[in-house]
Amino acid sequence: MTTTCRRPPDALGRVDANHVLRVAAVRSSLPPDAAAEGITPVARVLISRFANDLDARVRVQIEPSQRAVRASVEAGTADLGLVRQRPGASIAGMHRTQAVGASRLVAVVGRGDDHPDELSDLSGRLVLSGESGLGDWLRKRHPRLEFRVEPDKTTSQIVTAVAHGTDEATLITRTRFRRYRRYFPQLHQAFRFSGARYKNYWLFNGHMGGDSAALYHKAVAFIARHEKSGQYKRLKARYEARGADLDYVGIRAFAEYFGSRLPEWQSDFEKAARHYGIDWRLLAAISYQESRWRQHAVSSTGVRGLMMLTSSTAKAVGVKDRRDPQQSIDGGAIYYKKMAQRLPVSIAPPDRKWFALAAYNVGFGHVMDARRLLKRRGQDPDLWVNLKQALLMLTKERYARHARNGQAKGKQAVAYVAHVRAYYDMLRWETRHSGGSSSQPWGEMAIASAQDNSASGATDPVAPIRSPMF
């Protein structure tokens, strides 16, 4: 009897044969980025581009922890894993690519009179999540520092405890702090921690040799191309720009009005959204920026109503009574949709939303002037990250004198879009799991939902990057 021993196909061979790239990742608990497919937009797009180069589609395997991600890669049930590590840390038996983005750490405390200035001030008060991996690093470099590690708690749970005063302080990335603070305005950044940064890596089975490591080498080359060409930098600017850093008072006011004012008008926003094909939460975010959801709001220039329409705009969109809530919301929806429809088809989502918002605020002509300015300068006129710089340039006479519509209130438009984006993000997260309302205090639902999702272990395919037109 003769037997033939066949080596199992290497990772690249499996991808080529099945046209599927299997990616293991921990579900993002960073509101509002924990989307259906579980990973952040930048990671999602980058992985999809890599898969396209391999003529494959992506299948994401959501794991409960980074340890589980590593186990999936090692067992061969995933072709690569997305992990976050401290520089210098290594994983035995694994290959990892060069870093794909980095995050700085900050010390976070509950808002109060005591504002620590350095790490030693947190001795005996610092609590860390077991998933952070910081415990061993701190013990080696700061042996006198007293802190507690909660091995079974997530970063989200620790942050919640600090916000509620159950714990005193923790270390998280600057990006997480900026996002969590929208849900817990009592959080305070005590200081930036310069001792360590987290970096993101793509992880591959290190027991591969020779040709079997081909997928790993392709990934290294792919990331290097994106870094060298500037594509990764542009990708981050496009998907991670999340609007303004709202201050404590602004966040508290939004939280209050979310519960006290929005419920009165939510059905009107939803009705308009269904009719005009626009996310009702985007309309609500515009309305909050314009009027703070006040039906009888009036400005010194005569704009009025929930959407603060001018008399000329109201006439153009068929609104007879700007004080009527449904007419005002319908009018705002029609005007926004007109702005979006007039934009060149080359402007893709999500930038298309931000272009339309800028046109809604500063006027379509100024937005087109900004695009023409970018074209003259050899820059891509279809990216919001470029357009906002051009709008700022149009506030200056030396640029405005060459524009068809003259000087623009560019700073106002950029700030407007930033704030609407921030409100839109918060509304999207707070209403995603509740159907539009929540009986829990502001912020608790968002964090709890992220924790529930991260433990689900669900497997979700990553669809092509598509968004609604508006």
Side-chain angles (χ1 to χ4, degrees):
M1 180 176 179
T2 304
T3 60
T4 302
C5 295
R6 293 184 177 180
R7 292 173 56 190
D10 59 81
L12 183 58
R14 285 195 299 268
V15 174
D16 287 341
N18 301 322
H19 299 287
V20 175
L21 179 68
R22 302 168 303 170
V23 179
V26 178
R27 183 180 296 278
S28 170
S29 60
L30 186 63
D33 285 340
E37 61 274 10
I39 58 178
T40 61
V42 172
R44 175 167 54 103
V45 174
L46 205 61
I47 284 291
S48 294
R49 289 181 180 179
F50 181 54
N52 287 339
D53 284 358
L54 301 173
D55 192 26
R57 60 187 178 89
V58 179
R59 180 179 295 134
V60 175
Q61 303 168 192
I62 296 300
E63 304 290 356
S65 66
Q66 294 203 80
R67 183 175 298 175
V69 168
R70 296 195 294 269
S72 292
V73 175
E74 191 169 24
T77 57
D79 302 309
L80 70 90
L82 304 182
V83 296
R84 190 180 73 247
Q85 290 182 290
R86 291 176 290 100
S90 61
I91 302 176
M94 293 287 176
H95 287 320
R96 71 182 187 190
T97 62
Q98 62 271 55
V100 189
S103 303
R104 296 186 180 276
L105 291 171
V106 296
V108 175
V109 298
R111 183 171 287 274
D113 296 331
D114 184 13
H115 293 166
D117 297 319
E118 56 187 33
L119 194 61
S120 60
D121 295 337
L122 297 180
S123 189
R125 304 164 57 189
L126 185 63
V127 183
L128 301 174
S129 163
E131 72 177 8
S132 72
L134 273 174
D136 291 341
W137 188 89
L138 283 175
R139 289 188 185 97
K140 290 179 181 178
R141 288 161 178 77
H142 302 274
R144 296 183 180 180
L145 182 70
E146 295 181 14
F147 59 92
R148 186 175 84 253
V149 176
E150 295 284 357
D152 298 323
K153 288 188 176 180
T154 65
T155 300
S156 298
Q157 290 171 318
I158 298 296
V159 170
T160 302
V162 172
H164 290 165
T166 307
D167 290 325
E168 292 189 64
T170 191
L171 296 173
I172 59 175
T173 65
R174 169 67 175 162
T175 303
R176 281 180 178 244
F177 166 72
R178 292 173 64 182
R179 206 65 58 81
Y180 283 135
R181 191 170 180 269
R182 293 183 180 175
Y183 304 93
F184 296 116
Q186 64 269 42
L187 288 178
H188 174 74
Q189 177 184 311
F191 57 86
R192 292 187 179 185
F193 181 54
S194 59
R197 289 194 304 168
Y198 277 107
K199 292 189 176 183
N200 303 314
Y201 300 94
W202 293 6
L203 196 67
F204 294 82
N205 193 327
H207 295 294
M208 302 177 296
D211 294 338
S212 296
L215 184 63
Y216 162 70
H217 292 304
K218 280 183 174 290
V220 169
F222 170 84
I223 294 170
R225 289 197 304 272
H226 270 65
E227 289 282 4
K228 185 176 181 179
S229 66
Q231 291 182 67
Y232 179 72
K233 185 177 180 180
R234 290 193 293 272
L235 193 62
K236 282 180 66 67
R238 185 176 187 183
Y239 284 95
E240 290 192 353
R242 287 291 175 183
D245 277 336
L246 303 180
D247 61 21
Y248 176 80
V249 174
I251 296 172
R252 294 297 297 182
F254 186 86
E256 177 186 345
Y257 297 149
F258 174 82
S260 63
R261 294 182 181 176
L262 178 59
E264 185 174 0
W265 314 119
Q266 182 172 329
S267 61
D268 295 320
F269 287 122
E270 291 173 341
K271 182 178 178 181
R274 287 192 298 269
H275 188 74
Y276 298 105
I278 304 170
D279 189 335
W280 76 264
R281 295 164 297 186
L282 181 60
L283 295 177
I286 294 171
S287 177
Y288 184 80
Q289 172 64 22
E290 295 284 359
S291 69
R292 297 299 188 262
W293 296 324
R294 292 178 297 156
Q295 176 184 1
H296 301 293
V298 181
S299 79
S300 59
T301 57
V303 296
R304 63 181 63 218
L306 279 171
M307 304 299 280
M308 295 295 274
L309 303 176
T310 65
S311 58
S312 59
T313 299
K315 184 177 181 180
V317 296
V319 171
K320 296 181 179 179
D321 184 357
R322 289 179 287 166
R323 295 167 297 182
D324 179 87
Q326 191 66 68
Q327 286 192 47
S328 181
I329 293 170
D330 285 348
I334 294 169
Y335 188 64
Y336 171 83
K337 189 168 183 177
K338 282 186 174 182
M339 296 299 101
Q341 287 176 329
R342 292 178 67 187
L343 292 170
V345 295
S346 57
I347 304 172
D351 299 68
R352 196 173 189 86
K353 281 190 178 76
W354 322 140
F355 274 65
L357 285 174
Y360 186 101
N361 176 257
V362 77
F364 187 81
H366 289 304
V367 168
M368 297 308 290
D369 281 344
R371 294 188 79 252
R372 283 187 283 268
L373 175 58
L374 289 171
K375 287 180 180 178
R376 290 197 299 268
R377 295 172 63 87
Q379 295 175 275
D380 190 341
D382 295 335
L383 297 179
W384 171 247
V385 67
N386 291 341
L387 190 87
K388 66 181 182 180
Q389 296 302 321
L391 286 170
L392 293 175
M393 292 167 68
L394 287 177
T395 63
K396 301 175 181 178
E397 175 58 31
R398 67 176 182 272
Y399 297 108
R401 65 170 170 261
H402 301 294
R404 296 180 185 178
N405 297 278
Q407 205 162 6
K409 294 181 179 179
K411 291 182 181 179
Q412 170 187 297
V414 169
Y416 180 89
V417 175
H419 282 95
V420 171
R421 289 181 69 174
Y423 300 138
Y424 179 46
D425 276 348
M426 288 191 282
L427 285 168
R428 286 168 61 205
W429 188 259
E430 288 296 331
T431 60
R432 178 170 292 163
H433 300 283
S434 67
S437 61
S438 172
S439 58
Q440 299 184 52
W442 178 260
E444 289 187 16
M445 179 184 64
I447 302 303
S449 298
Q451 292 167 348
D452 291 343
N453 289 338
S454 67
S456 67
T459 300
D460 298 303
V462 171
I465 309 305
R466 294 191 181 95
S467 300
M469 180 64 77
F470 308 117

